[in-house]
Amino acid sequence: MFSKKMVWALMAIFAFLSISMYLSNMPEKKDKHVIEKISAYFPYEMTKTIGGLDLVDKRTGEKLKLDNAKVFLAFDDLLKKWGATHLKVEGSTLLILDDNNKTVDTMKLNEKELSFVKEFFLK
């Protein structure tokens, strides 16, 4: 019924699909220093739950209840949307703004960090 070639072909297809799904659900690389600085002002945080990971809104305490495979992608998406409206670059200085567009914190950026901010947040 099943030949050895068919079994090997199914295993190869399964391996290919598993690896491609793994790579497509990987979060983007981030600059550690910039993320550490803005995480205090970002209104969402990742928390561990019994079923895996979840995102929690710091302002309301509401859990977003996302599929575990999509938590990192959703976190990146929320971070980009928030950064587009709450981060501003002036020269080599990153300005972190509140909801009223008032500067709450600043950070001097080196070339690598500046490149990351422009590519990740301000595209």
Side-chain angles (χ1 to χ4, degrees):
M1 183 168 170
F2 284 107
S3 68
K4 287 184 181 181
K5 290 180 183 179
M6 174 101 50
V7 171
W8 283 107
L10 288 173
M11 285 178 23
I13 290 170
F14 178 75
F16 172 76
L17 292 174
S18 298
I19 291 170
S20 65
M21 289 301 292
Y22 173 74
L23 293 176
S24 68
N25 287 322
M26 290 287 292
E28 292 185 42
K29 293 190 188 268
K30 299 174 195 70
D31 187 274
K32 182 180 177 181
H33 295 108
V34 174
I35 297 299
E36 285 176 356
K37 182 73 170 181
I38 67 172
S39 64
Y41 306 102
F42 182 57
Y44 296 96
E45 68 181 345
M46 200 172 300
T47 59
K48 290 183 180 180
T49 62
I50 294 174
L53 297 171
D54 204 359
L55 294 178
V56 176
D57 188 334
K58 293 180 192 177
R59 300 167 292 193
T60 63
E62 179 184 346
K63 291 185 179 182
L64 299 183
K65 297 184 181 176
L66 301 165
D67 182 26
N68 267 339
K70 303 291 182 192
V71 168
F72 291 109
L73 295 176
F75 185 79
D76 279 359
D77 186 50
L78 290 169
L79 188 60
K80 284 180 181 181
K81 288 178 183 175
W82 177 84
T85 59
H86 289 80
L87 298 178
K88 188 178 189 182
V89 174
E90 289 184 355
S92 64
T93 303
L94 176 67
L95 303 175
I96 304 169
L97 310 172
D98 64 6
D99 291 336
N100 299 321
N101 283 337
K102 294 187 180 177
T103 303
V104 292
D105 205 350
T106 62
M107 176 183 183
K108 284 286 189 189
L109 301 174
N110 61 31
E111 287 299 318
K112 182 181 169 191
E113 294 167 343
L114 183 61
S115 171
F116 163 73
V117 169
K118 286 181 178 178
E119 200 169 301
F120 190 82
F121 295 107
L122 307 174
K123 250 185 188 176

